[in-house]
Amino acid sequence: MDNQFEQLRTLKHNLTRFMMMYKFALEELETKIRILNDEFHSLHEYNPIEHTKSRVKSPESILKKLARKGVGDSLSSIKENIRDIAGLRITCSFTEDIYWISSMLQSQEDITVVEVKDYIKHPKPNGYRSLHLILQVPVFMSDRQELVYVEVQIRTIAMDFWASLEHKIFYKYEGSVPKRLLDELTDAANSAMALDMKMEKLHKEIETIKLTDVSQGAHAPETLLLLNQDITIPQALLKLANSQKW
């Protein structure tokens, strides 16, 4: 009896540690995203990230996927064969932002890019569009480092809205969706793509206008004041502390 109790306690410990690894890996990635978010907001006056959403698969979902894949049920087998236990979704304003964020994440030295699936350049037959990355993120536990797989999906607001709607329809019909609705979903995906293209075109036109204004000397009053002064670094820091606009 004592031996069985010890085995159960060890199993619980290992399972808890296993699930915590994915939670910590997501927290690592979310910290990186927050840093990028703050940098763009503070220095570039533009933030490509609208919002993020993360999740760790439930044990029930893991077991169902394990059964579908037909792989071993050891923790090491689960870790290697189910690479979307931890998932992070990043929603952007424009399509070009997707590749921008992807490039910034992939360039981080402590992240290993395992797989890239581009469903934007190569949409699924039903119209689904998104950029999927499988990344390995280092997690530093008390006694060792673990490399944990995280699936990152990066998409625009329009892509995310369509994917959410498609998921709800498939859930309602338990996968057996009438052909008419499937055709309408495909049409909606094409409309979402057209909207993304139009909004990105407008965004680029606005950016061109802003750059033209700057090149012609249309600076904010605070900027003009500073440009006309001989200002030292300490003085600049004081102005920065006293003015959010500067």
Side-chain angles (χ1 to χ4, degrees):
M1 180 66 71
D2 289 342
N3 186 45
Q4 287 182 333
F5 178 77
E6 186 63 31
Q7 287 178 344
L8 285 173
R9 189 169 69 173
T10 300
L11 178 61
K12 180 183 178 183
H13 172 84
N14 291 339
L15 285 172
T16 301
R17 183 189 184 96
F18 182 77
M19 297 305 295
M20 286 177 70
M21 287 191 317
Y22 292 96
K23 175 179 178 289
F24 295 153
L26 281 175
E27 289 176 353
E28 289 280 347
L29 268 184
E30 288 174 321
T31 298
K32 292 177 180 296
I33 294 298
R34 279 197 298 272
I35 290 171
L36 292 174
N37 202 14
D38 289 347
E39 177 190 342
F40 275 95
H41 180 74
S42 300
L43 299 181
H44 303 290
E45 298 183 353
Y46 171 67
N47 188 359
I49 302 167
E50 289 290 338
H51 56 265
T52 63
K53 184 177 181 180
S54 62
R55 64 101 181 97
V56 176
K57 277 184 181 294
S58 67
E60 293 80 8
S61 296
I62 295 172
L63 289 174
K64 287 179 182 178
K65 189 155 190 177
L66 198 65
R68 289 198 304 270
K69 280 180 165 285
V71 296
D73 57 1
S74 67
L75 291 182
S76 59
S77 178
I78 293 172
K79 179 183 177 183
E80 188 58 37
N81 289 286
I82 303 180
R83 299 182 174 183
D84 63 345
I85 293 176
L88 176 66
R89 184 179 304 152
I90 304 171
T91 306
C92 308
S93 302
F94 307 104
T95 303
E96 68 175 9
D97 294 338
I98 293 174
Y99 295 103
W100 197 6
I101 293 168
S102 171
S103 176
M104 286 187 286
L105 282 177
Q106 293 186 52
S107 67
Q108 305 233 357
E109 291 183 358
D110 58 342
I111 289 179
T112 302
V113 182
V114 178
E115 186 178 12
V116 179
K117 291 183 179 179
D118 193 336
Y119 296 115
I120 300 172
K121 294 178 180 176
H122 307 285
K124 291 185 178 182
N126 64 351
Y128 175 84
R129 296 166 64 239
S130 183
L131 184 68
H132 290 198
L133 308 174
I134 300 294
L135 307 175
Q136 266 191 332
V137 180
V139 173
F140 297 91
M141 308 292 282
S142 61
D143 58 346
R144 64 182 181 268
Q145 173 184 314
E146 298 279 359
L147 293 176
V148 183
Y149 291 109
V150 178
E151 182 189 55
V152 179
Q153 299 177 356
I154 315 176
R155 48 176 82 154
T156 64
I157 297 170
M159 294 175 195
D160 190 55
F161 176 73
W162 182 91
S164 176
L165 177 63
E166 191 255 7
H167 176 77
K168 289 176 183 177
I169 290 175
F170 268 77
Y171 182 81
K172 180 178 180 180
Y173 285 92
E174 298 181 347
S176 301
V177 182
K179 185 178 182 304
R180 176 183 63 82
L181 289 181
L182 290 175
D183 291 341
E184 290 188 10
L185 274 172
T186 303
D187 289 342
N190 293 331
S191 297
M193 181 174 65
L195 177 61
D196 272 338
M197 294 173 64
K198 184 171 184 178
M199 295 305 293
E200 189 155 343
K201 180 175 178 291
L202 287 170
H203 172 66
K204 288 180 178 178
E205 289 179 359
I206 291 169
E207 287 300 304
T208 301
I209 293 171
K210 286 170 63 177
L211 288 172
T212 301
D213 288 345
V214 169
S215 67
Q216 293 177 350
H219 299 287
E222 297 89 349
T223 306
L224 284 174
L225 179 63
L226 289 166
L227 287 174
N228 292 328
Q229 293 178 353
D230 291 326
I231 188 167
T232 65
I233 295 296
Q235 290 171 332
L237 288 173
L238 285 174
K239 288 182 177 292
L240 181 62
N242 295 324
S243 173
Q244 292 297 321
K245 291 182 180 180
W246 192 84

